[in-house]
């Protein structure tokens, strides 16, 4: 005889049952208020900058990064220092493990509550009791909901758990930060729709062999996506680096060939970075081309420009390029510094101290203008540089600067002036 078992109703996030259900209706665009959202100050300038000024109430933030890079440390640090009530939900660590880390970072926190739970229905019950101003989930891949009968971390579980958290965030205006694992290719694990569903996607990156970590915004509905936050990993947590240029330029007293300083811009922030090049005779038949933190295809293109337009024979030589500090840069304005470092290493003549570069190099060997050149010049001047090479076609609005602005139009002009 067949018996039908009635399953008990599974309860997801619901607002108060007595509350009147809101009915949305079309509104004329001119009638919609455009007042700025009040944001939660995270007490962390770098995190605030990357988010565009703080956490927007009701927003969902996804933070991805390599294992062991410091995602949990960063979020626990924010939870401990916030003046708001925070619920930190961990599906990966025990309460004792989190407490040990918290004692290193900021032991006197009264507003942070720790919960070790992976079932969304239980998490929402605790949220109703604690009523936090911010919820942190570490990580979304460990959560599971009763609505889907599959293992935690599966595509359907991740999608459903995120949908429940979005419903909670939007209805209660409580911001939620999710930690996301990444695949071996570096993409956030789970369905791509996860990144479409959330409001902000942050990437926490860096090389484990270096102490510096970089927080980038890949998507942000409430701010710019080109901002950058830099941290230094210490025993007591992550220290905000307010002047990254001093960190990214090594303090060498001797003049060394093969190094050049580039003025780049990330978001609203100008940075000065050191580029190192090594040119040596190829031992094997095929010369090697290797770059760390820079696009190898672009390096090959710049080497071809040097060979064709400036007459340097580098086809039979190995060329190695490195951007110091473990960061990677996409800004085309560092082209000229890359070429200067390569030429300096090739001829074994160091570039004078106090010289930096900010220009793109075209295929005809012409020096092309770059955006926001005034900011780059001011940053170089602030750090004590005496000369900066920029394109002749750049419109420079600065008057009375102490730095010598060298205007160049061709790669040959730079070679004559430097060497």
């Amino acid at each position: 005889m067949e018996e039908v078992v009635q399953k008990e109703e599974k309860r997801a996030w619901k607002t108060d049952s007595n509350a009147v259900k809101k009915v949305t209706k079309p509104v004329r665009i001119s009638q919609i208020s455009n007042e700025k959202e009040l944001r939660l100050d995270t007490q962390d300038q770098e995190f605030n900058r990357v988010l565009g000024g703080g956490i927007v109430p009701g927003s969902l933030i996804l933070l991805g990064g390599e294992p062991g890079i410091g995602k949990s440390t960063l979020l626990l640090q924010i939870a401990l220092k916030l003046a708001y009530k925070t619920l930190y939900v961990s599906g990966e660590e025990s309460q004792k493990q989190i407490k040990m880390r918290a004692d290193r970072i900021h032991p006197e926190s009264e507003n942070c509550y720790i919960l070790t739970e992976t079932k969304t229905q239980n998490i929402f019950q605790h949220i109703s009791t604690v009523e936090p101003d911010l919820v942190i989930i570490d990580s979304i891949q460990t959560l599971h909901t009763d609505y889907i009968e599959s293992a935690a971390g599966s595509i359907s579980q991740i999608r459903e758990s995120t949908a429940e958290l979005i419903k909670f965030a939007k209805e209660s205006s409580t911001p939620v930060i999710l930690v996301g694992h990444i695949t071996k290719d570096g993409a956030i694990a789970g369905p791509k729709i996860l990144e479409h569903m959330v409001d902000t996607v942050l990437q926490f990156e860096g090389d484990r062999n270096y102490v510096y970590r970089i927080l980038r915004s890949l998507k942000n509905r409430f701010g710019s996506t080109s901002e950058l936050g830099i941290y230094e990993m210490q025993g007591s947590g992550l220290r905000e680096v307010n002047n990254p240029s001093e960190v990214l330029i090594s303090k060498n007293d001797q003049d060394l060939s093969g190094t050049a300083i580039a003025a780049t811009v990330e978001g609203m922030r100008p940075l000065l970075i050191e580029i190192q090049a090594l040119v040596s005779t190829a031992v094997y038949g095929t010369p090697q081309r290797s770059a760390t933190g820079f696009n190898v295809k672009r390096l090959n293109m710049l080497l071809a420009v040097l060979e064709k337009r400036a007459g340097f024979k580098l086809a039979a030589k190995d060329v190695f390029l490195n951007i110091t500090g473990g960061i990677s840069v996409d800004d085309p304005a560092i082209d000229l510094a890359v070429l200067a470092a390569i030429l300096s290493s090739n001829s074994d003549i160091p570039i004078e101290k106090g010289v930096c570069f900010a220009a793109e190099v075209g295929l005809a060997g012409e020096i092309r203008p770059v955006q926001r050149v005034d900011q780059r010049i001011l940053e170089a001047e602030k750090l004590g540089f005496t000369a900066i090479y920029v394109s002749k076609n750049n419109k420079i609005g600065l008057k009375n600067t102490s730095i010598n602005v060298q205007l160049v139009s061709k790669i040959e002009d730079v070679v004559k002036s430097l060497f």
Side-chain angles (χ1 to χ4, degrees):
M1 185 178 149
E2 196 175 297
E3 188 180 347
V4 177
V5 177
Q6 182 87 34
K7 278 196 175 177
E8 58 175 312
E9 192 193 344
K10 297 162 185 168
R11 189 173 171 277
W13 167 258
K14 285 197 181 85
T15 42
D16 185 18
S17 53
N18 301 324
V20 182
K21 198 168 183 194
K22 281 197 292 183
V23 179
T24 54
K25 58 177 195 256
V27 181
R28 200 177 276 125
I29 194 163
S30 57
Q31 294 174 335
I32 298 170
S33 163
N34 63 349
E35 283 178 29
K36 276 197 167 178
E37 287 269 13
L38 284 171
R39 295 177 181 242
L40 301 184
D41 180 7
T42 62
Q43 308 291 318
D44 183 319
Q45 285 183 343
E46 300 293 295
F47 201 76
N48 281 351
R49 178 194 285 112
V50 175
L51 290 178
I55 301 174
V56 174
S59 65
L60 218 81
I61 299 163
L62 178 64
L63 174 70
E66 291 270 345
I69 209 78
K71 303 183 294 293
S72 303
T73 304
L74 176 67
L75 293 184
L76 183 61
Q77 188 166 307
I78 286 165
L80 294 169
K81 290 182 180 174
L82 265 179
Y84 305 97
K85 196 189 283 185
T86 310
L87 181 64
Y88 184 99
V89 183
S90 177
E92 300 184 344
E93 295 176 293
S94 69
Q95 290 176 331
K96 275 191 176 167
Q97 282 174 301
I98 297 167
K99 171 67 176 158
M100 280 160 63
R101 187 184 294 144
D103 285 343
R104 288 203 316 269
I105 298 170
H106 189 75
E108 324 72 50
S109 174
E110 292 297 318
N111 292 320
C112 181
Y113 292 76
I114 306 293
L115 171 66
T116 49
E117 179 61 71
T118 56
K119 190 169 157 184
T120 57
Q121 281 75 16
N122 295 349
I123 291 168
F124 289 132
Q125 280 176 4
H126 290 294
I127 285 172
S128 305
T129 313
V130 177
E131 294 183 344
D133 298 308
L134 172 69
V135 177
I136 295 171
I137 307 283
D138 185 8
S139 66
I140 187 63
Q141 277 81 6
T142 59
L143 293 197
H144 65 95
T145 171
D146 280 347
Y147 282 110
I148 304 286
E149 291 181 1
S150 64
S154 64
I155 285 178
S156 51
Q157 280 287 10
I158 292 172
R159 190 169 49 221
E160 184 61 36
S161 300
T162 307
E164 286 182 24
L165 287 162
I166 288 175
K167 188 167 184 248
F168 155 71
K170 301 302 175 196
E171 288 183 8
S172 66
S173 283
T174 307
V176 178
I177 304 179
L178 309 174
V179 171
H181 294 169
I182 63 167
T183 62
K184 60 184 175 186
D185 302 326
I188 291 172
K192 191 72 180 170
I193 195 170
L194 183 62
E195 293 174 53
H196 291 288
M197 289 162 84
V198 300
D199 297 306
T200 306
V201 181
L202 303 178
Q203 181 88 11
F204 202 42
E205 58 192 47
D207 191 321
R208 273 189 227 178
N209 303 319
Y210 290 93
V211 292
Y212 299 109
R213 302 282 184 268
I214 292 167
L215 185 68
R216 289 181 194 275
S217 169
L218 305 182
K219 167 192 175 177
N220 193 353
R221 288 179 181 156
F222 309 109
S224 161
T225 55
S226 55
E227 287 301 340
L228 194 77
I230 298 185
Y231 294 90
E232 184 184 359
M233 180 63 94
Q234 296 180 336
S236 58
L238 291 152
R239 182 184 75 83
E240 300 165 48
V241 177
N242 297 320
N243 188 359
S245 299
E246 289 183 5
V247 165
L248 300 171
I249 298 174
S250 60
K251 313 278 187 294
N252 275 333
D253 294 333
Q254 300 128 329
D255 289 339
L256 300 170
S257 65
T259 64
I261 307 296
T264 180
V265 171
E266 287 279 356
M268 296 304 292
R269 168 189 263 189
L271 299 175
L272 266 81
I273 55 170
E274 184 177 329
I275 292 166
Q276 295 180 323
L278 177 66
V279 179
S280 63
T281 310
V283 182
Y284 307 105
T286 313
Q288 295 181 67
R289 303 278 186 261
S290 171
T292 307
F294 189 73
N295 189 331
V296 180
K297 287 182 178 172
R298 191 157 188 90
L299 173 63
N300 285 327
M301 186 196 86
L302 292 173
L303 290 170
V305 170
L306 269 186
E307 186 122 355
K308 175 88 176 171
R309 303 290 172 194
F312 285 91
K313 300 284 178 255
L314 298 171
K317 296 194 173 179
D318 291 339
V319 179
F320 303 98
L321 195 79
N322 176 41
I323 294 179
T324 59
I327 72 165
S328 49
V329 181
D330 296 329
D331 187 0
I334 71 169
D335 285 357
L336 191 55
V338 167
L339 288 189
I342 290 167
L343 292 173
S344 167
S345 177
N346 185 48
S347 55
D348 205 15
I349 300 171
I351 293 167
E352 273 181 53
K353 267 204 170 0
V355 174
C356 62
F357 306 86
E360 186 182 347
V361 177
L363 288 179
E366 81 278 23
I367 308 297
R368 300 173 64 86
V370 291
Q371 57 174 353
R372 311 234 304 271
V373 73
D374 290 358
Q375 268 183 284
R376 299 171 200 259
I377 294 169
L378 285 172
E379 178 73 5
E381 187 182 13
K382 190 174 86 184
L383 289 168
F385 282 82
T386 52
I388 182 167
Y389 283 78
V390 298
S391 169
K392 217 171 207 166
N393 302 320
N394 253 122
K395 291 182 176 63
I396 298 166
L398 294 172
K399 301 278 184 286
N400 307 325
T401 54
S402 60
I403 192 168
N404 176 16
V405 180
Q406 296 269 6
L407 301 171
V408 285
S409 58
K410 288 203 194 84
I411 190 76
E412 295 95 305
D413 303 347
V414 182
V415 175
K416 273 182 202 160
S417 174
L418 281 177
F419 308 106

